[in-house]
């Protein structure tokens, strides 16, 4: 039976209209859900960064006496993780350091080492390490912090998405490059594991580099006077 051309056209228009209506009605919902996920990710990142920036070093006696020389254990919930040396899994030398989550871990656990900043103030430094992960649910990272008179002057870690280490992976290199403020007094550096899984860390290096080496996290310099007070310069 022949179907009138007008019916075919009407049917096609009807289908297109339904598709268009569906697209227009679902697009705001999809965007809202995407914004919600982005907001939750930023909130988690901000909370973790704040916690890691405020950590203190608890007594090593809480975590045994076989910690590697010069290193201490810290974190938001260090008791939910185990720490030690692994002579079977390492990238170089004879052993790596590991952080391993206990069942249902809260917060994060971390390795930390503290040094005087006097040899590094006013200079650009690079912290790097080799890392290996197994079943890391959230992330593993290295981190670097500069303090002065009990205040945190600068802090960076490799948690951001572009440098995040999660899941299971072989050895990968992670690095942080930043400028040590002239008023810096102490430098804290280490590695962190957040959530379930295990991470191994090896071949840490901490060195002064030239200013030709780019910073790993661009920081806009503080202006000497306010700008765009009348909002005429458009968007950033």
């Amino acid at each position: 039976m022949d179907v009138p051309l007008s019916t075919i056209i009407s049917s096609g228009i009807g289908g297109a209209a339904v598709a268009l209506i569906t697209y227009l009605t679902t697009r705001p919902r999809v965007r809202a859900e995407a914004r919600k996920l982005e907001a939750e990710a930023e909130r988690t990142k901000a909370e973790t960064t704040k916690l890691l920036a405020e950590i203190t070093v608890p007594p090593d006696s809480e975590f045994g006496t076989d910690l590697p020389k010069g290193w201490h254990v810290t974190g938001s919930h260090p008791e939910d993780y185990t720490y030690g040396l692994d002579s079977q899994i390492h990238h170089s030398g004879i052993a790596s350091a590991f952080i391993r989550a206990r069942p249902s871990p809260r917060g994060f656990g971390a390795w930390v080492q503290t040094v005087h900043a006097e040899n590094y103030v006013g200079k650009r430094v690079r912290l790097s390490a080799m890392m290996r992960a197994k079943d890391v649910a959230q992330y593993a990272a290295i981190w670097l912090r500069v303090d002065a008179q009990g205040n945190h002057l600068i802090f960076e870690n490799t948690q951001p998405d572009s440098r995040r280490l999660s899941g299971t992976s072989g050895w990968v290199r992670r690095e942080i490059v930043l400028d040590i403020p002239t008023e810096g007094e102490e430098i804290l550096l280490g590695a962190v594991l957040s959530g379930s899984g295990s991470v191994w860390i090896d071949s840490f290096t901490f060195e002064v580099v030239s200013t030709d080496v780019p910073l790993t996290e661009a920081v806009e310099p503080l202006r000497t006077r306010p700008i765009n007070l009348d909002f005429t310069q458009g968007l950033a």
Side-chain angles (χ1 to χ4, degrees):
M1 179 179 64
D2 294 335
V3 179
L5 180 59
S6 60
T7 302
I8 296 175
I9 294 174
S10 298
S11 176
I13 293 175
V18 170
L20 179 61
I21 292 171
T22 301
Y23 171 73
L24 293 175
T25 55
T26 58
R27 184 173 59 174
R29 183 169 68 251
V30 171
R31 287 181 174 176
E33 291 174 352
R35 285 195 297 269
K36 181 180 178 181
L37 291 174
E38 291 174 357
E40 290 177 351
E42 287 299 318
R43 177 176 56 81
T44 300
K45 176 182 175 181
E47 290 175 351
T48 304
T49 298
K50 181 177 184 296
L51 284 171
L52 193 55
E54 296 176 352
I55 59 175
T56 56
V57 181
D60 287 339
S61 58
E62 297 181 16
F63 306 99
T65 58
D66 58 346
L67 299 180
K69 182 179 180 180
W71 291 94
H72 303 275
V73 167
T74 186
S76 64
H77 294 82
E79 68 277 8
D80 286 4
Y81 298 82
T82 61
Y83 314 81
L85 297 178
D86 192 328
S87 60
Q88 302 300 314
I89 298 177
H90 53 87
H91 182 264
S92 63
I94 60 174
S96 66
F98 68 80
I99 307 174
R100 185 172 298 121
R102 298 181 187 275
S104 303
R106 299 164 297 168
F108 60 88
W111 287 109
V112 59
Q113 186 167 157
T114 306
V115 298
H116 287 295
E118 58 187 357
N119 293 327
Y120 304 98
V121 293
K123 301 177 181 178
R124 180 163 297 184
V125 300
R126 175 167 56 201
L127 174 71
S128 64
M130 300 299 297
M131 306 183 74
R132 176 172 173 170
K134 181 179 180 182
D135 301 329
V136 172
Q138 296 184 20
Y139 71 90
I142 59 173
W143 60 278
L144 183 60
R145 191 180 95 192
V146 183
D147 291 0
Q149 299 182 0
N151 297 316
H152 314 310
L153 303 181
I154 190 169
F155 169 80
E156 186 180 340
N157 69 10
T158 57
Q159 179 194 353
D161 290 343
S162 60
R163 293 182 285 168
R164 178 184 293 266
L165 180 63
S166 60
T168 298
S169 76
W171 291 104
V172 296
R173 187 174 186 270
R174 291 292 184 267
E175 69 175 39
I176 295 170
V177 179
L178 55 75
D179 294 327
I180 305 297
T182 55
E183 63 270 34
E185 296 177 353
E186 291 185 332
I187 298 174
L188 292 83
L189 57 89
V192 57
L193 173 64
S194 177
S196 60
S198 303
V199 63
W200 292 262
I201 313 98
D202 200 354
S203 305
F204 260 116
T205 64
F206 184 69
E207 58 188 338
V208 175
V209 296
S210 73
T211 53
D212 294 334
V213 178
L215 300 171
T216 47
E217 185 169 292
V219 178
E220 185 176 357
L222 191 64
R223 298 185 180 91
T224 57
R225 59 177 61 88
I227 65 169
N228 198 24
L229 299 182
D230 58 0
F231 307 104
T232 61
Q233 296 181 25
L235 301 176

